Amino acid sequence: GQNIDQPTEMTATEGAIVQINCTYQTSGFNGLFWYQQHAGEAPTFLSYNVLDGLEEKGRFSSFLSRSKGYSYLLLKELQMKDSASYLCAVSSSNTGKLIFGQGTTLQVKP
Amino acid sequence: ETGVTQTPRHLVMGMTNKKSLKCEQHLGHNAMYWYKQSAKKPLELMFVYSLEERVENNSVPSRFSPECPNSSHLFLHLHTLQPEDSALYLCASSQDSGTSGSHEQYFGPGTRLTVT
């Protein structure tokens, strides 16, 4: 079957660093996406990894290990506005089909 | 208008009603998608259209009927829904649905559907 796992909830302190993990088992692999979704809003694209390694984009970085079926999203210098759900999604085919994890709700506290 | 828009934003309908959700993208993309987002569940892909042709139908009940008249517009026609169909329905678009180039999906704000 196809499965994507990520923690349900995480809490971190403003200014700190947090790492959100995602493991996946899919029949195919065409890249892994991270999206951010604030409550009541649409998901917005954060990052895309298709090759192993780290992709850095400002305060956000995303890592992929295809052999381990593992990715993480790293958020640095946390701000209150980073409180949101973070969705891990795998593209398993060339038809645009994305398989989403349940999402990790991150709460940033002062 | 920019990005991906959806109307209506909120919809309450009875189980015998027929209604339609509308999505429009202003990004010049070739692929469009319908997703269902229920509380405490992962985003669930329903349909994928690429260049107005359906390329993915994720075992969705026939009471949901998509229509893609052109690459900018996508509809989801609803009839005889059940209370468990109450959810947030999200539309998305991408440059294309394949492997070439960047194909991240841009989401609309969603339609919050309640079936009574």
Side-chain angles (χ1 to χ4, degrees), chain B residues 3 12-14 25 34 39 45 66 77 80 82 106 109-110 115:
Chain B
V12 180
M13 59 186 289
Q25 58 96 0
W34 278 117
L45 178 69
H77 304 299
T80 59
Q82 304 298 312
Y106 293 80
V115 181

Side-chain angles (χ1 to χ4, degrees), chain A residues 9 30 33 35 37 40-45 48 87 91 93-103, chain B residues 9 33 35 37 40-43 45 48 55-56 58 88 90 97-99 103-109:
Chain A
E9 294 178 344
N30 205 25
F33 295 80
Y35 283 84
Q37 186 176 24
E41 297 183 13
T44 55
F45 170 78
Y48 170 67
L87 311 178
S91 175
S93 71
N94 61 1
T95 62
K97 180 174 182 175
L98 284 184
I99 303 167
F100 279 83
Q102 192 168 357
Chain B
R9 294 294 308 275
Y33 311 79
Y35 287 89
Q37 189 172 35
K40 307 294 183 186
K41 288 186 177 180
L43 259 175
L45 178 69
V48 180
V55 297
E56 189 80 40
N58 218 25
L88 180 69
L90 289 162
S97 64
T99 59
H103 55 289
E104 68 261 28
Q105 296 179 18
Y106 293 80
F107 286 82

Side-chain angles (χ1 to χ4, degrees), chain A residues 38-103:
Chain A
H38 285 99
E41 297 183 13
T44 55
F45 170 78
L46 288 178
S47 68
Y48 170 67
N49 294 68
V50 66
L51 299 176
D52 289 353
L54 188 68
E55 295 277 346
E56 297 188 74
K57 193 185 291 186
R59 293 190 298 115
F60 292 7
S61 303
S62 56
F63 171 83
L64 175 68
S65 169
R66 288 172 297 172
S67 62
K68 295 182 180 178
Y70 168 69
S71 173
Y72 67 72
L73 180 69
L74 193 71
L75 292 75
K76 303 176 186 175
E77 300 168 19
L78 280 173
Q79 302 174 9
M80 298 299 291
K81 67 178 182 179
D82 297 330
S83 294
S85 282
Y86 291 86
L87 311 178
C88 174
V90 171
S91 175
S92 64
S93 71
N94 61 1
T95 62
K97 180 174 182 175
L98 284 184
I99 303 167
F100 279 83
Q102 192 168 357

